[in-house]
């Protein structure tokens, strides 16, 4: 395409300055297979006119200049009426403009860091690591997109990868135009504002930091250090009370706000201070929360008493939260609903894992924590037994029913990834790892309830299946002693709550109401 100079000194000068460059750009496009450049070259001319008006040299074109051009209130047609440029209305993206910028870069007319190719190789290494870790292809593509956006943005703003800072990262997240380099990467779906997939980018930044490519730019997760007295409290709970790490975390989570109210000097504690702290911690909270706070405070005071820093009488300062024995009914569902919930797991690899979990909960009445802690060595296939270590680290051997054993074998033999860890149940999406806590098991149960459209009386976690198993056994005539053995209750009083669920038997022993028939 040839641009012929028109009459008029100002516009003729503009055309004479840009004609050679635009002709070279047209040839550049044709070499890349463009048959029609009717939009690319006029866009380049418009950009050159705007640069001339704004007194910006070609050599300093970067992301900031591109942003200014895309956002400018266009009056270029007035400044160069014979150039026949249309008013610019683009705001976030112009593939025609980015092709011209790429032409200037490859022609050496714009200064760049020269790291684009090497940085893209780093992205390829990041993706290769994710493939080795077993990530799904769709997930890998999401990570690749976010990593490429950052690399392209750094290139356009002429920032070296090693110079990436937290401020630069914030500018990238609040960018106002698409990060695109024709022939390299095109951001197809540009959204203004902060990136929705920030955690994809954070993983790439962590990879760059591990490879020594950048300094840390992500804010470190600041965990509040525990005071020395609470550190000693945690050690005491573990060594002398035999509590698990999960239980200790619950105690500490409840006691930290209390210590903030009481202060870290136990010598200053008195009855009024303890009761005021307790009142403030349970204000507008549920009864169960109040019982948990009271239990944690008493445990903390027992620790202080053994340390000799507070008197024994101070233990009575924590008020008692009333709880009537056997006042609640266990949460349970009918046997047919349990079977429907188990049958909802079918069709996917994760369903084999979920079905095995549901069968363990429904047949053996395991707790969610038992599922998380279960190890491959705990399954004795020869004796058809499974060893479970429950609360207070008490170990018990339970019989392994046929359907539970079949489900476990199907999961272990065909679905479970080959990992170094010996935990039975791991995540179904890479990176594969053991369950973090019992909440993961409860979420699996909740999703199964939703699929089966099962309504539970209260709560939708894993404990519903435990209660349902005990209730079903009692209704079928099983003795409370056998139920106590299955549930691994230390005291028979704990199992007595299930006696209230046998309504037919209760109706047989119910006495007439002394007030007579209801009118």
């Amino acid at each position: 395409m040839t641009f012929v100079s028109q009459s008029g000194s100002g516009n003729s000068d503009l055309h004479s300055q840009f004609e050679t460059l635009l002709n070279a750009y047209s040839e550049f496009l044709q070499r890349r297979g463009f048959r029609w450049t009717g939009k690319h070259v006029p866009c380049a001319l418009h950009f050159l006119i705007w640069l001339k008006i704004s007194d910006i040299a070609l050599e300093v074109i970067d992301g900031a200049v591109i942003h200014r051009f895309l956002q400018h209130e266009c009056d270029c047609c007035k400044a160069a009426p014979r150039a026949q440029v249309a008013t610019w209305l683009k705001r976030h993206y112009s593939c025609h403009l980015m092709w011209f910028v790429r032409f200037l870069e490859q022609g050496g007319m714009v200064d760049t860091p020269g790291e684009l190719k090497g940085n893209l190789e780093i992205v390829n290494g990041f993706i290769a690591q994710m493939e080795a870790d077993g990530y799904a292809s769709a997930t890998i593509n999401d990570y690749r997109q976010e990593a490429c956006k950052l690399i392209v943005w750094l290139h356009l703003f002429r920032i070296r990868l090693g110079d990436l800072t937290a401020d630069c990262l914030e500018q990238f997240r609040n960018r106002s135009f698409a990060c695109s380099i024709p022939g390299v990467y095109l951001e197809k779906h540009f959204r203004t504002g902060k990136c929705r997939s920030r955690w994809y980018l954070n993983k790439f930044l962590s990879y760059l930091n591990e490879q020594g490519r950048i300094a840390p730019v992500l804010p470190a997760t600041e965990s509040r250090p525990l005071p020395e007295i609470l550190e000693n409290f945690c050690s005491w709970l573990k060594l002398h009370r035999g509590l698990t790490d999960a239980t200790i975390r619950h105690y500490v989570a409840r006691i930290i706000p209390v210590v903030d109210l009481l202060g870290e000097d136990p010598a200053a504690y008195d009855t009024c201070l303890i009761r005021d702290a307790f009142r403030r911690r349970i204000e507008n909270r549920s009864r169960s929360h109040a019982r948990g706070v009271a239990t944690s405070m008493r445990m903390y005071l027992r620790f202080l008493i053994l340390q000799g820093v507070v008197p024994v009488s101070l233990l009575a300062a924590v008020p008692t939260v009333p709880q009537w024995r056997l006042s609640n009914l266990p949460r349970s569902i009918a046997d047919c609903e349990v079977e429907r919930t188990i049958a909802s797991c079918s069709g996917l690899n994760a369903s084999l894992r979920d079905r095995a979990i549901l069968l363990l909960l429904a047949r053996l009445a395991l707790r969610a924590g038992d599922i998380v802690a279960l190890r491959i060595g705990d399954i004795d296939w020869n004796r058809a037994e499974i060893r479970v270590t429950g609360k207070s680290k008490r170990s018990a051997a339970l019989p392994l029913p046929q359907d539970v054993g079949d489900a476990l074998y199907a999961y272990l033999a065909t679905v479970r990834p080959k990992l170094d860890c010996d935990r039975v149940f791991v995540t179904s999406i890479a990176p594969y790892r053991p369950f973090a806590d019992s909440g993961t098991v409860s979420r699996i149960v909740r999703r199964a309830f939703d699929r089966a459209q099962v309504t539970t009386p209260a709560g939708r976690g894993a404990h519903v299946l435990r209660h349902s198993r005990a209730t079903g056994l009692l209704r079928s005539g099983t003795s409370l002693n056998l139920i106590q053995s299955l549930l691994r209750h230390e005291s028979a009083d704990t199992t007595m709550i299930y006696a209230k669920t046998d309504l037919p038997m209760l109706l047989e022993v119910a006495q007439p109401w002394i007030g007579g028939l209801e009118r």
Side-chain angles (χ1 to χ4, degrees), residues 203-217:
K203 187 172 183 65
F204 179 57
L205 293 172
S206 299
Y207 172 81
L208 293 175
N209 185 29
E210 293 171 0
Q211 297 294 317
R213 302 286 184 173
I214 63 171
V217 292

Side-chain angles (χ1 to χ4, degrees), residues 229 262-270 273 300 304 308-311 314:
I229 192 168
L262 295 175
E264 297 182 11
D265 183 13
Y269 294 177
D270 57 24
L273 183 61
Y300 180 60
L304 296 178
V309 293
V310 298
L314 206 58

Side-chain angles (χ1 to χ4, degrees), residues 332-344 358 362-363 448-449 451-456 464-465 468-469 471-473 475:
S332 63
I333 56 178
D335 291 345
C336 61
E337 292 179 318
V338 172
E339 297 305 320
R340 194 164 79 243
T341 302
I342 296 172
S344 69
L358 292 174
R363 303 289 190 261
F449 283 149
R451 289 194 302 268
Q453 298 181 352
V454 171
T455 302
T456 58
V464 174
L465 295 178
S468 300
R469 179 57 172 167
T471 302
L473 288 174
R475 290 174 178 170

Side-chain angles (χ1 to χ4, degrees), residues 143-188:
Y143 281 103
R144 186 198 306 273
Q145 296 289 324
E146 206 61 30
C148 287
K149 288 177 190 176
L150 176 63
I151 294 303
V152 169
W153 183 87
L154 290 173
H155 173 80
L156 291 176
F157 279 81
R158 317 312 179 198
I159 300 173
R160 295 185 177 277
L161 182 61
D163 296 334
L164 180 63
T165 63
D167 290 338
C168 294
L169 187 61
E170 191 63 24
Q171 293 176 29
F172 165 72
R173 286 171 172 160
N174 293 299
R175 63 194 184 277
S176 298
F177 69 95
C179 295
S180 299
I181 298 178
V184 177
Y185 174 78
L186 296 177
E187 184 176 358
K188 298 179 181 179

